[in-house]
Amino acid sequence: MMAQVIDSQRSGVASTHVSFICQRCCAPLKLDPSFNSLDSQTYSDLASPLIRSMSEKPPESSIPCDQFDVNKDDNVARKEIITQRTSSQDSSHEFTILGEAGNTQVEARSYACKIWGQLFDIMSGHSDVDHPLCEECTDSLLDGLDIQLKTTEDELKHYTESLAQLKEDNGGEDEATLTKELEELRLEEKSLIEELQSMEAEKEKIKEDTERQKEELQKYEDEEKRYWSEYSVYKRQLLEMEDEQRSVDNQLKYAQAQLEKLTRTNVFNATFHIWHSGHFGTINNFRLGRLPSVPVEWNEINAAWGQTVLLLHSLAKKMQYKFQRYRLVPYGNHSFLESLTDRNKELPLHGSGGFRFFWDTKFDQAMVAFLDCLQQFKEEVEKGDKGFCLPYPMINGKIEDPSTKTSFSIKIQFNSEEHWTKALKFMLTNLKWALAWVSSQFKK
Ligand SMILES: [Zn+2]
């Protein structure tokens, strides 16, 4: 590091003042007068390395012991100094100052500056500190170095103590113990490695187990899904079945109610409703008979006879009774009786044409025959049930009113319409009693 050199031209004086500045604070320096007389030994000492190995012998001074005086005041260079430190030494170190003249003063000063500059460079090269330094900066540098030194010494002390402590600590254990301990540690390491390997194997096994169980879980989940879907299907079916069952239950209830109603119902009563309308006896609302004031049509009378024949026929069938002499043939409004003695003889229970001049003996015979059948039925019932009787006694085509002991013929011939109608009404009443008795016998 080259020292900075300030050149200045003083006005009127052709002389050069060369000064150095402090490398830290840049203050101009005034060199100590001792620098003016620098002998070669001092230069050599300064130029040589500050620290050298113990074995290394301090080199011989390469500079001759001649003194050189560069006093700026006398302007005379008295000594010839040849630097011989190394063969490769810069030729600038070789210098010869001769003669005494006005310009030799300048040369001498230039030479001195060069020497000082080199000196400061050497010093800078030996340490981290650039030279030259002023007195104050040197003091502060020295203070800093002192502190650094103290810190380093403290550290050294600390390290020394630590080393001693360590030596003391390890001093108790001999090599055999350590070897044994090492052996034990190796064994432990080996067993730990084995344990680790077994753990790894176990981990692998557990991983496989986990995989398998995951698969199983997936399977179960699939199955669950399938079961749920099946469950839904069955549940829906169940609901439908329950609906159906409720419907069937309702139907059953309705049917049972109907059955009960029908059980209570008398089939003959329901089928053959015998009642009366004024002087007429009626069966299923068909009037049987005729009055001069009420001219009932043949159609109605025929229909009424048809119902009447069917009723007696049904009652006999229910009693499993067969009439003697006649067979009842229910045939709507063309019903008739068949004579059992003469198969070809039909006795019609229906009429037609003008009533007043109706003169059909067969119709009369049929009505008498029907009354005979009813009488037979009565006698048949009386065989089993002594208490049974009909309100109007019947005999030979006549029916008697027990209250007045008057008999009324069932024939039209030689009879009034009123009597005929009354006789028919009594006959229907008897039939109604017979019906009631049969119904009571077959209730269940
Ligand atoms: Zn300074």
Side-chain angles (χ1 to χ4, degrees):
M1 191 117 354
M2 284 296 293
Q4 288 186 16
V5 179
I6 299 171
D7 294 328
S8 64
Q9 285 282 330
R10 288 275 175 85
S11 57
V13 183
S15 64
T16 304
H17 286 271
V18 177
S19 302
F20 288 88
I21 59 165
C22 173
Q23 296 300 299
R24 284 203 166 179
C25 66
C26 296
L29 294 175
K30 191 181 175 203
L31 293 177
D32 193 85
S34 63
F35 276 94
N36 290 335
S37 57
L38 196 67
D39 61 30
S40 58
Q41 180 60 47
T42 311
Y43 181 87
S44 170
D45 286 348
L46 286 168
S48 64
L50 287 174
I51 302 162
R52 60 168 61 96
S53 65
M54 298 299 284
S55 59
E56 201 178 332
K57 220 181 144 188
E60 290 285 319
S61 174
S62 56
I63 299 172
C65 280
D66 305 323
Q67 211 175 4
F68 65 93
D69 188 3
V70 200
N71 196 330
K72 64 179 178 181
D73 292 328
D74 65 5
N75 294 328
V76 177
R78 291 186 181 85
K79 302 293 179 189
E80 181 183 313
I81 300 163
I82 301 160
T83 55
Q84 296 175 347
R85 283 205 309 172
T86 61
S87 57
S88 62
Q89 189 70 36
D90 193 337
S91 60
S92 64
H93 287 257
E94 294 169 17
F95 50 86
T96 307
I97 300 170
L98 294 168
E100 349 173 351
N103 60 343
T104 53
Q105 188 185 357
V106 178
E107 284 172 12
R109 280 191 62 83
S110 166
Y111 170 72
C113 279
K114 202 174 176 181
I115 293 295
W116 296 336
Q118 283 179 0
L119 191 59
F120 291 140
D121 282 348
I122 289 164
M123 287 166 73
S124 298
H126 281 315
S127 69
D128 295 335
V129 185
D130 281 346
H131 288 278
L133 293 173
C134 71
E135 202 175 340
E136 282 175 20
C137 287
T138 307
D139 285 346
S140 75
L141 177 67
L142 284 174
D143 288 346
L145 285 173
D146 277 346
I147 291 167
Q148 208 178 326
L149 178 64
K150 180 135 192 338
T151 311
T152 309
E153 278 175 354
D154 286 350
E155 275 178 17
L156 175 65
K157 194 181 160 200
H158 181 70
Y159 284 134
T160 311
E161 282 172 7
S162 296
L163 185 63
Q165 182 69 37
L166 272 173
K167 277 179 180 168
E168 196 179 314
D169 288 350
N170 291 334
E173 298 178 32
D174 55 1
E175 200 183 337
T177 316
L178 285 172
T179 312
K180 197 182 164 197
E181 201 173 321
L182 182 64
E183 195 58 36
E184 281 171 2
L185 284 172
R186 275 185 181 147
L187 284 172
E188 194 182 348
E189 187 194 15
K190 199 180 162 194
S191 87
L192 283 173
I193 286 171
E194 280 170 7
E195 201 177 327
L196 179 67
Q197 280 170 347
S198 86
M199 289 283 192
E200 290 281 350
E202 205 172 328
K203 186 186 165 192
E204 199 60 35
K205 204 175 139 230
I206 287 172
K207 202 177 160 189
E208 282 170 15
D209 268 8
T210 311
E211 281 301 316
R212 203 169 55 245
Q213 293 195 351
K214 264 185 193 170
E215 280 172 22
E216 216 167 316
L217 179 68
Q218 185 63 41
K219 210 175 80 195
Y220 284 136
E221 277 174 354
D222 288 351
E223 248 173 73
E224 190 192 5
K225 216 182 279 180
R226 202 169 62 246
Y227 285 145
W228 272 113
S229 125
E230 270 177 38
Y231 171 79
S232 300
V233 170
Y234 289 137
K235 184 81 184 171
R236 205 191 66 233
Q237 283 180 0
L238 176 67
L239 289 175
E240 284 172 1
M241 292 293 182
E242 280 175 352
D243 269 1
E244 210 172 314
Q245 181 168 10
R246 268 196 291 276
S247 165
V248 168
D249 281 347
N250 284 335
Q251 284 178 20
L252 181 65
K253 266 185 207 163
Y254 176 74
Q256 278 173 341
Q258 286 289 98
L259 176 66
E260 210 173 320
K261 195 174 148 194
L262 288 173
T263 310
R264 280 199 307 268
T265 306
N266 186 311
V267 63
F268 292 113
N269 260 338
T271 316
F272 302 100
H273 178 62
I274 294 171
W275 203 239
H276 59 87
S277 169
H279 295 287
F280 297 99
T282 62
I283 179 164
N284 288 339
N285 292 328
F286 295 122
R287 287 169 297 186
L288 194 58
R290 184 187 167 97
L291 290 173
S293 55
V294 189
V296 181
E297 294 293 321
W298 275 116
N299 277 342
E300 189 174 343
I301 293 167
N302 294 343
W305 266 120
Q307 298 289 311
T308 308
V309 172
L310 182 62
L311 172 58
L312 185 59
H313 179 76
S314 302
L315 291 176
K317 199 175 177 186
K318 189 80 183 170
M319 295 286 292
Q320 292 178 330
Y321 175 71
K322 284 197 183 306
F323 296 108
Q324 295 172 6
R325 298 180 286 278
Y326 304 104
R327 190 171 73 86
L328 296 175
V329 183
Y331 200 61
N333 54 5
H334 281 79
S335 300
F336 58 91
L337 280 87
E338 203 177 68
S339 173
L340 293 178
T341 49
D342 184 0
R343 283 296 170 114
N344 295 325
K345 195 178 181 185
E346 275 188 14
L347 302 172
L349 270 173
H350 52 88
S352 59
F355 200 85
R356 203 165 281 278
F357 308 103
F358 186 75
W359 221 254
D360 190 345
T361 53
K362 277 191 176 177
F363 184 56
D364 276 346
Q365 282 176 31
M367 287 189 285
V368 170
F370 183 82
L371 209 62
D372 180 19
C373 288
L374 185 57
Q375 179 63 24
Q376 284 181 46
F377 181 80
K378 180 205 167 206
E379 283 164 7
E380 176 65 22
V381 171
E382 276 174 346
K383 280 181 194 168
D385 184 357
K386 298 290 180 195
F388 177 76
C389 70
L390 294 176
Y392 301 103
M394 300 166 284
I395 181 162
N396 293 329
K398 286 185 177 174
I399 190 159
E400 188 188 288
D401 181 359
S403 55
T404 57
K405 300 287 180 190
T406 319
S407 288
F408 300 97
S409 173
I410 205 162
K411 289 181 183 172
I412 293 175
Q413 205 173 12
F414 312 121
N415 200 358
S416 68
E417 288 182 351
E418 288 88 345
H419 284 187
W420 179 61
T421 302
K422 196 167 276 263
L424 290 174
K425 190 179 177 183
F426 291 162
M427 185 271 292
L428 277 179
T429 309
N430 274 352
L431 201 54
K432 187 177 172 71
W433 278 55
L435 181 156
W437 183 85
V438 173
S439 297
S440 73
Q441 297 303 303
F442 301 94
K443 208 135 208 183
K444 295 279 164 73

PDB file of all heavy atoms in Angstrom, residues 342-364:
ATOM      1  N   ASP A 342    -153.667 -87.431 -14.853  1.00  0.00           N
ATOM      2  CA  ASP A 342    -153.774 -87.308 -16.306  1.00  0.00           C
ATOM      3  C   ASP A 342    -152.684 -86.344 -16.784  1.00  0.00           C
ATOM      4  O   ASP A 342    -152.806 -85.128 -16.661  1.00  0.00           O
ATOM      5  CB  ASP A 342    -155.165 -86.769 -16.659  1.00  0.00           C
ATOM      6  CG  ASP A 342    -155.372 -86.700 -18.159  1.00  0.00           C
ATOM      7  OD1 ASP A 342    -154.413 -87.084 -18.895  1.00  0.00           O
ATOM      8  OD2 ASP A 342    -156.434 -86.241 -18.585  1.00  0.00           O
ATOM      9  N   ARG A 343    -151.592 -86.909 -17.290  1.00  0.00           N
ATOM     10  CA  ARG A 343    -150.403 -86.135 -17.619  1.00  0.00           C
ATOM     11  C   ARG A 343    -150.685 -85.056 -18.657  1.00  0.00           C
ATOM     12  O   ARG A 343    -150.049 -84.009 -18.664  1.00  0.00           O
ATOM     13  CB  ARG A 343    -149.285 -87.063 -18.128  1.00  0.00           C
ATOM     14  CG  ARG A 343    -148.603 -87.817 -17.008  1.00  0.00           C
ATOM     15  CD  ARG A 343    -147.892 -86.860 -16.071  1.00  0.00           C
ATOM     16  NE  ARG A 343    -147.427 -87.531 -14.884  1.00  0.00           N
ATOM     17  CZ  ARG A 343    -146.129 -87.677 -14.605  1.00  0.00           C
ATOM     18  NH1 ARG A 343    -145.213 -87.206 -15.391  1.00  0.00           N
ATOM     19  NH2 ARG A 343    -145.788 -88.305 -13.484  1.00  0.00           N
ATOM     20  N   ASN A 344    -151.640 -85.337 -19.473  1.00  0.00           N
ATOM     21  CA  ASN A 344    -151.902 -84.368 -20.541  1.00  0.00           C
ATOM     22  C   ASN A 344    -152.743 -83.193 -20.079  1.00  0.00           C
ATOM     23  O   ASN A 344    -152.917 -82.229 -20.802  1.00  0.00           O
ATOM     24  CB  ASN A 344    -152.613 -85.055 -21.715  1.00  0.00           C
ATOM     25  CG  ASN A 344    -151.701 -86.090 -22.340  1.00  0.00           C
ATOM     26  OD1 ASN A 344    -150.489 -85.877 -22.397  1.00  0.00           O
ATOM     27  ND2 ASN A 344    -152.264 -87.197 -22.769  1.00  0.00           N
ATOM     28  N   LYS A 345    -153.231 -83.290 -18.848  1.00  0.00           N
ATOM     29  CA  LYS A 345    -154.129 -82.246 -18.364  1.00  0.00           C
ATOM     30  C   LYS A 345    -153.335 -81.144 -17.662  1.00  0.00           C
ATOM     31  O   LYS A 345    -152.722 -81.371 -16.629  1.00  0.00           O
ATOM     32  CB  LYS A 345    -155.158 -82.858 -17.403  1.00  0.00           C
ATOM     33  CG  LYS A 345    -156.345 -81.945 -17.132  1.00  0.00           C
ATOM     34  CD  LYS A 345    -157.332 -82.647 -16.219  1.00  0.00           C
ATOM     35  CE  LYS A 345    -158.550 -81.767 -15.932  1.00  0.00           C
ATOM     36  NZ  LYS A 345    -159.430 -82.430 -14.941  1.00  0.00           N
ATOM     37  N   GLU A 346    -153.354 -79.983 -18.295  1.00  0.00           N
ATOM     38  CA  GLU A 346    -152.671 -78.827 -17.688  1.00  0.00           C
ATOM     39  C   GLU A 346    -153.730 -77.888 -17.149  1.00  0.00           C
ATOM     40  O   GLU A 346    -154.712 -77.591 -17.826  1.00  0.00           O
ATOM     41  CB  GLU A 346    -151.827 -78.088 -18.742  1.00  0.00           C
ATOM     42  CG  GLU A 346    -150.452 -78.696 -18.917  1.00  0.00           C
ATOM     43  CD  GLU A 346    -149.568 -77.844 -19.820  1.00  0.00           C
ATOM     44  OE1 GLU A 346    -149.936 -76.670 -20.076  1.00  0.00           O
ATOM     45  OE2 GLU A 346    -148.525 -78.345 -20.275  1.00  0.00           O
ATOM     46  N   LEU A 347    -153.489 -77.442 -15.934  1.00  0.00           N
ATOM     47  CA  LEU A 347    -154.429 -76.496 -15.333  1.00  0.00           C
ATOM     48  C   LEU A 347    -153.751 -75.140 -15.249  1.00  0.00           C
ATOM     49  O   LEU A 347    -152.890 -74.934 -14.375  1.00  0.00           O
ATOM     50  CB  LEU A 347    -154.859 -76.987 -13.947  1.00  0.00           C
ATOM     51  CG  LEU A 347    -155.527 -78.380 -13.916  1.00  0.00           C
ATOM     52  CD1 LEU A 347    -155.728 -78.859 -12.465  1.00  0.00           C
ATOM     53  CD2 LEU A 347    -156.869 -78.353 -14.626  1.00  0.00           C
ATOM     54  N   PRO A 348    -154.086 -74.243 -16.145  1.00  0.00           N
ATOM     55  CA  PRO A 348    -153.374 -72.956 -16.199  1.00  0.00           C
ATOM     56  C   PRO A 348    -153.792 -72.022 -15.066  1.00  0.00           C
ATOM     57  O   PRO A 348    -154.960 -71.921 -14.714  1.00  0.00           O
ATOM     58  CB  PRO A 348    -153.816 -72.376 -17.550  1.00  0.00           C
ATOM     59  CG  PRO A 348    -155.154 -72.957 -17.789  1.00  0.00           C
ATOM     60  CD  PRO A 348    -155.186 -74.308 -17.151  1.00  0.00           C
ATOM     61  N   LEU A 349    -152.802 -71.381 -14.503  1.00  0.00           N
ATOM     62  CA  LEU A 349    -153.072 -70.392 -13.458  1.00  0.00           C
ATOM     63  C   LEU A 349    -152.897 -68.996 -14.046  1.00  0.00           C
ATOM     64  O   LEU A 349    -152.237 -68.127 -13.443  1.00  0.00           O
ATOM     65  CB  LEU A 349    -152.135 -70.615 -12.263  1.00  0.00           C
ATOM     66  CG  LEU A 349    -152.670 -71.562 -11.199  1.00  0.00           C
ATOM     67  CD1 LEU A 349    -151.600 -71.859 -10.151  1.00  0.00           C
ATOM     68  CD2 LEU A 349    -153.905 -70.982 -10.511  1.00  0.00           C
ATOM     69  N   HIS A 350    -153.440 -68.819 -15.223  1.00  0.00           N
ATOM     70  CA  HIS A 350    -153.351 -67.493 -15.832  1.00  0.00           C
ATOM     71  C   HIS A 350    -154.545 -67.321 -16.745  1.00  0.00           C
ATOM     72  O   HIS A 350    -155.098 -68.292 -17.275  1.00  0.00           O
ATOM     73  CB  HIS A 350    -152.053 -67.316 -16.630  1.00  0.00           C
ATOM     74  CG  HIS A 350    -151.812 -68.417 -17.616  1.00  0.00           C
ATOM     75  ND1 HIS A 350    -152.297 -68.410 -18.903  1.00  0.00           N
ATOM     76  CD2 HIS A 350    -151.149 -69.596 -17.490  1.00  0.00           C
ATOM     77  CE1 HIS A 350    -151.925 -69.502 -19.536  1.00  0.00           C
ATOM     78  NE2 HIS A 350    -151.227 -70.264 -18.685  1.00  0.00           N
ATOM     79  N   GLY A 351    -154.927 -66.084 -16.902  1.00  0.00           N
ATOM     80  CA  GLY A 351    -156.089 -65.814 -17.732  1.00  0.00           C
ATOM     81  C   GLY A 351    -155.847 -64.699 -18.700  1.00  0.00           C
ATOM     82  O   GLY A 351    -154.779 -64.070 -18.682  1.00  0.00           O
ATOM     83  N   SER A 352    -156.852 -64.464 -19.576  1.00  0.00           N
ATOM     84  CA  SER A 352    -156.709 -63.365 -20.531  1.00  0.00           C
ATOM     85  C   SER A 352    -158.104 -62.996 -21.042  1.00  0.00           C
ATOM     86  O   SER A 352    -159.076 -63.704 -20.757  1.00  0.00           O
ATOM     87  CB  SER A 352    -155.818 -63.781 -21.704  1.00  0.00           C
ATOM     88  OG  SER A 352    -156.384 -64.912 -22.344  1.00  0.00           O
ATOM     89  N   GLY A 353    -158.167 -61.912 -21.743  1.00  0.00           N
ATOM     90  CA  GLY A 353    -159.436 -61.505 -22.320  1.00  0.00           C
ATOM     91  C   GLY A 353    -160.299 -60.733 -21.331  1.00  0.00           C
ATOM     92  O   GLY A 353    -159.834 -60.321 -20.268  1.00  0.00           O
ATOM     93  N   GLY A 354    -161.573 -60.512 -21.688  1.00  0.00           N
ATOM     94  CA  GLY A 354    -162.493 -59.772 -20.842  1.00  0.00           C
ATOM     95  C   GLY A 354    -162.774 -60.544 -19.568  1.00  0.00           C
ATOM     96  O   GLY A 354    -162.906 -61.761 -19.585  1.00  0.00           O
ATOM     97  N   PHE A 355    -162.800 -59.815 -18.466  1.00  0.00           N
ATOM     98  CA  PHE A 355    -162.896 -60.485 -17.204  1.00  0.00           C
ATOM     99  C   PHE A 355    -164.336 -60.895 -16.907  1.00  0.00           C
ATOM    100  O   PHE A 355    -164.592 -62.000 -16.421  1.00  0.00           O
ATOM    101  CB  PHE A 355    -162.367 -59.554 -16.109  1.00  0.00           C
ATOM    102  CG  PHE A 355    -161.995 -60.290 -14.879  1.00  0.00           C
ATOM    103  CD1 PHE A 355    -160.732 -60.873 -14.762  1.00  0.00           C
ATOM    104  CD2 PHE A 355    -162.914 -60.481 -13.854  1.00  0.00           C
ATOM    105  CE1 PHE A 355    -160.388 -61.580 -13.632  1.00  0.00           C
ATOM    106  CE2 PHE A 355    -162.571 -61.189 -12.713  1.00  0.00           C
ATOM    107  CZ  PHE A 355    -161.303 -61.738 -12.601  1.00  0.00           C
ATOM    108  N   ARG A 356    -165.255 -59.961 -17.190  1.00  0.00           N
ATOM    109  CA  ARG A 356    -166.641 -60.204 -16.814  1.00  0.00           C
ATOM    110  C   ARG A 356    -167.206 -61.443 -17.499  1.00  0.00           C
ATOM    111  O   ARG A 356    -168.003 -62.168 -16.934  1.00  0.00           O
ATOM    112  CB  ARG A 356    -167.487 -58.961 -17.158  1.00  0.00           C
ATOM    113  CG  ARG A 356    -168.768 -58.867 -16.334  1.00  0.00           C
ATOM    114  CD  ARG A 356    -169.376 -57.486 -16.430  1.00  0.00           C
ATOM    115  NE  ARG A 356    -168.709 -56.538 -15.568  1.00  0.00           N
ATOM    116  CZ  ARG A 356    -168.975 -56.431 -14.279  1.00  0.00           C
ATOM    117  NH1 ARG A 356    -169.841 -57.198 -13.699  1.00  0.00           N
ATOM    118  NH2 ARG A 356    -168.361 -55.538 -13.566  1.00  0.00           N
ATOM    119  N   PHE A 357    -166.688 -61.690 -18.695  1.00  0.00           N
ATOM    120  CA  PHE A 357    -167.193 -62.854 -19.424  1.00  0.00           C
ATOM    121  C   PHE A 357    -166.181 -63.970 -19.466  1.00  0.00           C
ATOM    122  O   PHE A 357    -166.211 -64.824 -20.306  1.00  0.00           O
ATOM    123  CB  PHE A 357    -167.599 -62.440 -20.861  1.00  0.00           C
ATOM    124  CG  PHE A 357    -168.530 -61.275 -20.850  1.00  0.00           C
ATOM    125  CD1 PHE A 357    -168.127 -59.995 -21.151  1.00  0.00           C
ATOM    126  CD2 PHE A 357    -169.882 -61.490 -20.493  1.00  0.00           C
ATOM    127  CE1 PHE A 357    -168.999 -58.943 -21.129  1.00  0.00           C
ATOM    128  CE2 PHE A 357    -170.761 -60.413 -20.467  1.00  0.00           C
ATOM    129  CZ  PHE A 357    -170.330 -59.132 -20.785  1.00  0.00           C
ATOM    130  N   PHE A 358    -165.215 -63.874 -18.483  1.00  0.00           N
ATOM    131  CA  PHE A 358    -164.206 -64.928 -18.424  1.00  0.00           C
ATOM    132  C   PHE A 358    -164.850 -66.188 -17.895  1.00  0.00           C
ATOM    133  O   PHE A 358    -165.414 -66.192 -16.798  1.00  0.00           O
ATOM    134  CB  PHE A 358    -163.032 -64.461 -17.528  1.00  0.00           C
ATOM    135  CG  PHE A 358    -161.894 -65.405 -17.526  1.00  0.00           C
ATOM    136  CD1 PHE A 358    -161.025 -65.496 -18.609  1.00  0.00           C
ATOM    137  CD2 PHE A 358    -161.704 -66.246 -16.441  1.00  0.00           C
ATOM    138  CE1 PHE A 358    -159.976 -66.387 -18.592  1.00  0.00           C
ATOM    139  CE2 PHE A 358    -160.639 -67.142 -16.430  1.00  0.00           C
ATOM    140  CZ  PHE A 358    -159.776 -67.204 -17.513  1.00  0.00           C
ATOM    141  N   TRP A 359    -164.789 -67.210 -18.632  1.00  0.00           N
ATOM    142  CA  TRP A 359    -165.575 -68.406 -18.309  1.00  0.00           C
ATOM    143  C   TRP A 359    -164.727 -69.624 -18.510  1.00  0.00           C
ATOM    144  O   TRP A 359    -165.028 -70.528 -19.222  1.00  0.00           O
ATOM    145  CB  TRP A 359    -166.807 -68.434 -19.232  1.00  0.00           C
ATOM    146  CG  TRP A 359    -168.043 -68.844 -18.536  1.00  0.00           C
ATOM    147  CD1 TRP A 359    -168.680 -70.056 -18.640  1.00  0.00           C
ATOM    148  CD2 TRP A 359    -168.813 -68.083 -17.657  1.00  0.00           C
ATOM    149  NE1 TRP A 359    -169.796 -70.101 -17.880  1.00  0.00           N
ATOM    150  CE2 TRP A 359    -169.908 -68.884 -17.228  1.00  0.00           C
ATOM    151  CE3 TRP A 359    -168.722 -66.770 -17.131  1.00  0.00           C
ATOM    152  CZ2 TRP A 359    -170.878 -68.427 -16.319  1.00  0.00           C
ATOM    153  CZ3 TRP A 359    -169.698 -66.346 -16.256  1.00  0.00           C
ATOM    154  CH2 TRP A 359    -170.738 -67.158 -15.849  1.00  0.00           C
ATOM    155  N   ASP A 360    -163.573 -69.641 -17.819  1.00  0.00           N
ATOM    156  CA  ASP A 360    -162.644 -70.762 -18.058  1.00  0.00           C
ATOM    157  C   ASP A 360    -162.677 -71.697 -16.855  1.00  0.00           C
ATOM    158  O   ASP A 360    -162.179 -71.338 -15.797  1.00  0.00           O
ATOM    159  CB  ASP A 360    -161.224 -70.204 -18.307  1.00  0.00           C
ATOM    160  CG  ASP A 360    -160.277 -71.274 -18.803  1.00  0.00           C
ATOM    161  OD1 ASP A 360    -160.606 -72.474 -18.699  1.00  0.00           O
ATOM    162  OD2 ASP A 360    -159.183 -70.910 -19.294  1.00  0.00           O
ATOM    163  N   THR A 361    -163.275 -72.863 -17.007  1.00  0.00           N
ATOM    164  CA  THR A 361    -163.362 -73.806 -15.884  1.00  0.00           C
ATOM    165  C   THR A 361    -161.985 -74.329 -15.497  1.00  0.00           C
ATOM    166  O   THR A 361    -161.734 -74.675 -14.366  1.00  0.00           O
ATOM    167  CB  THR A 361    -164.271 -74.993 -16.239  1.00  0.00           C
ATOM    168  OG1 THR A 361    -163.812 -75.550 -17.466  1.00  0.00           O
ATOM    169  CG2 THR A 361    -165.734 -74.571 -16.359  1.00  0.00           C
ATOM    170  N   LYS A 362    -161.093 -74.390 -16.502  1.00  0.00           N
ATOM    171  CA  LYS A 362    -159.746 -74.908 -16.198  1.00  0.00           C
ATOM    172  C   LYS A 362    -159.026 -74.002 -15.220  1.00  0.00           C
ATOM    173  O   LYS A 362    -158.298 -74.459 -14.344  1.00  0.00           O
ATOM    174  CB  LYS A 362    -158.924 -75.023 -17.501  1.00  0.00           C
ATOM    175  CG  LYS A 362    -159.199 -76.306 -18.245  1.00  0.00           C
ATOM    176  CD  LYS A 362    -158.184 -76.492 -19.357  1.00  0.00           C
ATOM    177  CE  LYS A 362    -158.397 -77.846 -20.038  1.00  0.00           C
ATOM    178  NZ  LYS A 362    -157.472 -78.024 -21.158  1.00  0.00           N
ATOM    179  N   PHE A 363    -159.193 -72.684 -15.371  1.00  0.00           N
ATOM    180  CA  PHE A 363    -158.557 -71.730 -14.461  1.00  0.00           C
ATOM    181  C   PHE A 363    -159.093 -71.944 -13.049  1.00  0.00           C
ATOM    182  O   PHE A 363    -158.332 -71.986 -12.081  1.00  0.00           O
ATOM    183  CB  PHE A 363    -158.843 -70.314 -14.968  1.00  0.00           C
ATOM    184  CG  PHE A 363    -158.162 -69.230 -14.171  1.00  0.00           C
ATOM    185  CD1 PHE A 363    -156.793 -69.227 -13.994  1.00  0.00           C
ATOM    186  CD2 PHE A 363    -158.928 -68.207 -13.584  1.00  0.00           C
ATOM    187  CE1 PHE A 363    -156.179 -68.217 -13.269  1.00  0.00           C
ATOM    188  CE2 PHE A 363    -158.315 -67.206 -12.855  1.00  0.00           C
ATOM    189  CZ  PHE A 363    -156.924 -67.209 -12.696  1.00  0.00           C
ATOM    190  N   ASP A 364    -160.465 -72.160 -12.979  1.00  0.00           N
ATOM    191  CA  ASP A 364    -161.072 -72.437 -11.680  1.00  0.00           C
ATOM    192  C   ASP A 364    -160.525 -73.727 -11.074  1.00  0.00           C
ATOM    193  O   ASP A 364    -160.165 -73.773  -9.910  1.00  0.00           O
ATOM    194  CB  ASP A 364    -162.600 -72.543 -11.827  1.00  0.00           C
ATOM    195  CG  ASP A 364    -163.287 -71.175 -11.798  1.00  0.00           C
ATOM    196  OD1 ASP A 364    -162.555 -70.197 -11.386  1.00  0.00           O
ATOM    197  OD2 ASP A 364    -164.449 -71.059 -12.168  1.00  0.00           O
TER     198      ASP A 364
END
